[in-house]
Amino acid sequence: MIHKFDAVILGAGAAGLMCAIEAGKRGRRVAVLERANRAGKKILISGGGRCNFTNLHCRPEHFYSANPHFAKSALARYEPSDFIALVEKYHIAYHEKTLGQLFCDRSAQDIVEMLETESRAAGVQIVLNSEIHEIRRADGFIVGTESGDFHAPVLVVATGGLSIPKLGATSLGYDIARQFGMEIRETKPALVPLVLNETDRKQYCDLAGVSAEVEVSTNGSSFREKLLITHRGLSGPAILQISTHWRGQSSIRIDLAPGRDATFVVRNAKERNTTAARSALQEFLPKRLATRWLDLHAPKAWTNRALEELERAVHEWVVEPAGTEGYEKAEVTVGGVDTDELSSKTMESRNLAGLFFIGEVVDVTGHLGGFNFQWAWASGAAAGRAL
Ligand SMILES: Cc1cc2nc3c(=O)[nH]c(=O)nc-3n(C[C@H](O)[C@H](O)[C@H](O)COP(=O)(O)OP(=O)(O)OC[C@H]3O[C@@H](n4cnc5c(N)ncnc54)[C@H](O)[C@@H]3O)c2cc1C
């Protein structure tokens, strides 16, 4: 059985749905083929279930790509205000949590329902539980599935990255790119918790759940946000951000007291001792972390010189992670379809007319904080308007 459409989109995630809505609104007959049993599963778990759907301060500098200019055009033509207008049209309550990050007040489900309603209104057909067997070229594209062949002059690949395989992530998007001779930039998990080496794990991981505001740096990049100790290592926004820059084997520097004179209180205490040092550290660290850290970095004496050394150590706690938690826990995948292969205006392949790639499958990755969804909306809209 052959189903004929103007466009077939693979993946009913953030980018695929946005693309389908934009194309449907322009009168295109669109089918979205989704492997999972419901659309937008990753949106549902995003932002701790509240979906950090965009960022007010979104700029091209918030994205990594081999070509840092590639994302500019799409981001300029679909801005955070465009998505906010859609959210407000559906009376979805939201708030700014921090640093321009917008979250739903209630649930990420509001965003998925909004996208589903928009899709229906635009006449989009979403086909769930679709196992895709093959892609063939024949006067356009034929997508072979268990429920028959889908034929269209246009094929949009919106299958996302490799993170969270249990939610349905597959390598299909990269496989299709390879099938048509396109280059892929090396992929790796990003925005991912780090696993500490065995020594550090023994020393800190019983403090799982403890968090602190820190500045972390590696390979010339740094982020000032929260760090969270986990059962196997470190997480929290600061660590997720720096994980994208961390290359195995390198160390990460953690400033436990950014911008503070950490030992001021001890230096000026009537009696310089461990109690004074602990209460100094507790000004900026939770009690359990302050105590543990001091136990492990106790000054040998209470001289000015020893306190200078303590001050330096507080600002430069060096950890050498054993690895990352991998795609199982990564929020995103860096790398992907090489942007040199695509038009930055439409996301269409430069060499194969009718083939588009959008969202996370493309070599464009955002910082933590709503930027990845903004890329999915913007690249989806760019392609949807070009179909
Ligand atoms: C835990 C977690 C929390 C996150 N929180 C945020 C956040 O708050 N803010 C933010 O900006 N970003 C967040 N992200 C990142 C964000 O979810 C992604 O960047 C975004 O969803 C990418 O959109 P996409 O449409 O490209 O891919 P996806 O949303 O992943 O959609 C791809 C779709 O393709 C389908 N698919 C895959 N393979 C096949 C196949 N073979 N056949 C058919 N269908 C297939 C998948 O099932 C999926 O529905 C989070 C990610 C995770 C994992």
Side-chain angles (χ1 to χ4, degrees):
M1 185 172 180
I2 293 199
H3 311 274
K4 282 191 178 286
F5 286 87
D6 295 327
V8 171
I9 299 174
L10 306 182
L17 291 173
M18 178 56 79
C19 179
I21 292 163
E22 287 294 323
K25 282 201 292 205
R26 298 173 69 253
R28 303 292 179 267
R29 291 186 57 246
V30 180
V32 185
L33 307 184
E34 168 58 54
R35 178 174 181 256
N37 59 2
R38 71 161 301 183
K41 273 196 166 176
K42 208 172 266 180
I43 303 174
L44 289 174
I45 59 152
S46 68
R50 294 241 168 105
C51 186
N52 175 194
F53 55 80
T54 192
N55 192 299
L56 292 172
H57 312 308
C58 183
R59 297 181 53 76
E61 297 83 81
H62 293 116
F63 296 86
Y64 308 104
S65 172
N67 175 0
H69 303 293
F70 179 80
K72 285 181 181 171
S73 168
L75 291 171
R77 284 177 300 124
Y78 192 92
E79 295 189 330
S81 56
D82 294 308
F83 196 78
I84 294 167
L86 188 58
V87 166
E88 290 181 348
K89 180 175 138 192
Y90 280 78
H91 306 291
I92 296 172
Y94 66 91
H95 61 279
E96 179 182 350
K97 195 168 168 192
T98 172
L99 304 169
Q101 301 169 6
L102 300 189
F103 283 77
C104 297
D105 284 359
R106 203 188 72 83
S107 161
Q109 206 168 324
D110 291 344
I111 300 292
V112 176
E113 282 170 10
M114 173 187 87
L115 295 170
E116 285 174 333
T117 308
E118 284 283 300
S119 299
R120 271 194 300 278
V124 173
Q125 205 169 315
I126 300 176
V127 187
L128 300 173
N129 303 305
S130 282
E131 272 305 328
I132 293 155
H133 298 315
E134 59 165 356
I135 311 286
R136 299 195 305 277
R137 284 202 68 200
D139 184 22
F141 296 86
I142 294 177
V143 182
T145 76
E146 266 163 26
S147 47
D149 285 351
F150 288 76
H151 180 244
V154 164
L155 179 66
V156 183
V157 181
T159 44
L162 296 168
S163 57
I164 323 278
K166 66 172 185 256
L167 280 188
T170 70
S171 64
L172 181 68
Y174 310 115
D175 300 339
I176 296 172
R178 282 192 201 98
Q179 178 183 342
F180 293 111
M182 299 168 81
E183 290 294 322
I184 309 282
R185 291 265 166 189
E186 189 191 349
T187 54
K188 71 169 191 151
L191 299 183
V192 61
L194 297 175
V195 178
L196 284 175
N197 63 42
E198 207 180 330
T199 315
D200 285 341
R201 244 191 345 254
K202 279 188 188 140
Q203 288 175 333
Y204 296 103
C205 286
D206 61 316
L207 302 181
V210 170
S211 71
E213 175 89 19
V214 300
E215 185 166 302
V216 293
S217 332
T218 195
N219 297 317
S221 299
S222 62
F223 294 91
R224 185 170 171 167
E225 282 189 65
K226 278 228 152 95
L227 165 148
L228 171 75
I229 299 179
T230 69
H231 292 288
R232 281 162 47 85
L234 301 175
S235 187
I239 294 297
L240 296 180
Q241 297 275 36
I242 208 72
S243 71
T244 310
H245 298 266
W246 182 70
R247 301 180 204 117
Q249 315 296 323
S250 60
S251 59
I252 289 179
R253 285 193 8 250
I254 303 173
D255 182 345
L256 292 170
R260 298 182 77 122
D261 182 345
T263 54
F264 178 81
V265 179
V266 205
R267 289 201 311 273
N268 294 292
K270 267 197 203 142
E271 228 182 301
R272 292 176 173 186
N273 55 24
T274 309
T275 312
R278 196 181 304 126
S279 60
L281 294 199
Q282 277 177 37
E283 301 251 318
F284 49 87
L285 291 179
K287 189 173 171 187
R288 289 174 69 207
L289 180 56
T291 306
R292 178 65 51 85
W293 198 86
L294 201 58
D295 286 348
L296 295 165
H297 299 85
K300 291 190 178 65
W302 296 101
T303 58
N304 285 346
R305 198 171 171 157
L307 289 180
E308 266 170 36
E309 180 52 32
L310 181 65
E311 180 77 35
R312 195 199 56 72
V314 168
H315 294 292
E316 205 172 320
W317 177 28
V318 178
V319 294
E320 283 168 4
T324 76
E325 292 280 7
Y327 286 118
E328 300 295 320
K329 299 243 173 100
E331 285 204 6
V332 287
T333 303
V334 284
V337 176
D338 195 326
T339 56
D340 283 352
E341 301 278 1
L342 306 173
S343 150
S344 61
K345 271 216 169 102
T346 63
M347 306 292 135
E348 186 173 15
S349 160
R350 287 180 185 283
N351 297 317
L352 182 49
L355 181 63
F356 293 69
F357 288 82
I358 55 173
E360 202 181 310
V361 74
V362 178
D363 172 33
V364 174
T365 308
H367 289 193
L368 186 79
F371 302 106
N372 283 297
F373 278 134
Q374 190 56 35
W375 168 246
W377 315 135
S379 58
R385 290 166 182 170
L387 303 187

